[in-house]
Amino acid sequence: MSVRKPRYCLQCDDGTELKLKIQDMTVQANGITRVVPEVAGWHCPQCGEVEFVDQDGSERHMAAMNAVWEEASAGESGSLRAIRKKLGLKQAEAGRLFGGGVSAFSDYERGKTQPHKSTVLLLKLLDRHPDLLKELAPALVRV
Ligand SMILES: [Zn+2]
């Protein structure tokens, strides 16, 4: 048995010691969660950070992250469409109003491109307060 030097979590940066073990990991994004079983590595008991010790663990972790991001962005593009429809905007109108051009929303909603974060935030605000649309674009409000 070799004696290992302790390793500290760079994420926590407060002297939290990493533990070398095999442990299930949870990856999440936008409320979507996936468990990566039995990942070998130096795990942080505080923040869940890990330094992988083998290729297998890091590859499975990466694959789970990608799957979660894909699922999260699919959900996002679905909700963009729902919000746009709720506001009574055609794709081309939304593209002119929020920027990006007439085909921007068609691309977002098919997951071809990602909207800028500010566009997503603005749409989420309008989802909660649809009456604000008339402040932004009085000519587009039909109801
Ligand atoms: Zn940590």
Side-chain angles (χ1 to χ4, degrees):
M1 291 289 268
S2 62
V3 178
R4 290 174 188 272
K5 280 202 306 190
R7 294 199 190 199
Y8 301 98
C9 181
L10 298 174
Q11 199 74 20
C12 291
D13 197 26
D14 63 356
T16 301
E17 220 175 288
L18 298 175
K19 303 258 184 288
L20 182 60
K21 58 182 172 178
I22 293 172
Q23 181 179 294
D24 292 354
M25 286 188 71
T26 305
V27 294
Q28 53 186 356
N30 292 8
I32 292 157
T33 303
R34 215 160 274 206
V35 174
V36 191
E38 298 181 353
V39 176
W42 292 85
H43 293 266
C44 175
Q46 296 296 332
C47 71
E49 209 27 56
V50 66
E51 287 179 27
F52 299 102
V53 293
D54 60 17
Q55 189 97 1
D56 171 64
S58 73
E59 273 173 7
R60 286 187 299 123
H61 182 259
M62 180 93 74
M65 284 296 276
N66 288 339
V68 162
W69 277 110
E70 224 161 78
E71 205 173 308
S73 75
E76 190 108 286
S77 60
S79 69
L80 284 186
R81 177 191 293 271
I83 296 168
R84 177 180 60 75
K85 293 202 161 190
K86 176 176 170 179
L87 296 171
L89 295 171
K90 298 195 178 83
Q91 286 185 334
E93 292 170 336
R96 278 191 219 103
L97 177 60
F98 298 104
V102 291
S103 62
F105 274 72
S106 148
D107 290 346
Y108 302 156
E109 291 172 13
R110 284 180 296 134
K112 202 174 141 200
T113 57
Q114 291 287 314
H116 196 274
K117 194 174 177 194
S118 58
T119 304
V120 175
L121 292 174
L122 186 54
L123 279 159
K124 283 182 177 166
L125 269 183
L126 286 168
D127 187 32
R128 300 273 303 273
H129 307 281
D131 53 306
L132 290 177
L133 184 62
K134 63 177 180 285
E135 310 269 338
L136 295 173
L140 289 177
V141 177
R142 295 186 188 81
V143 282

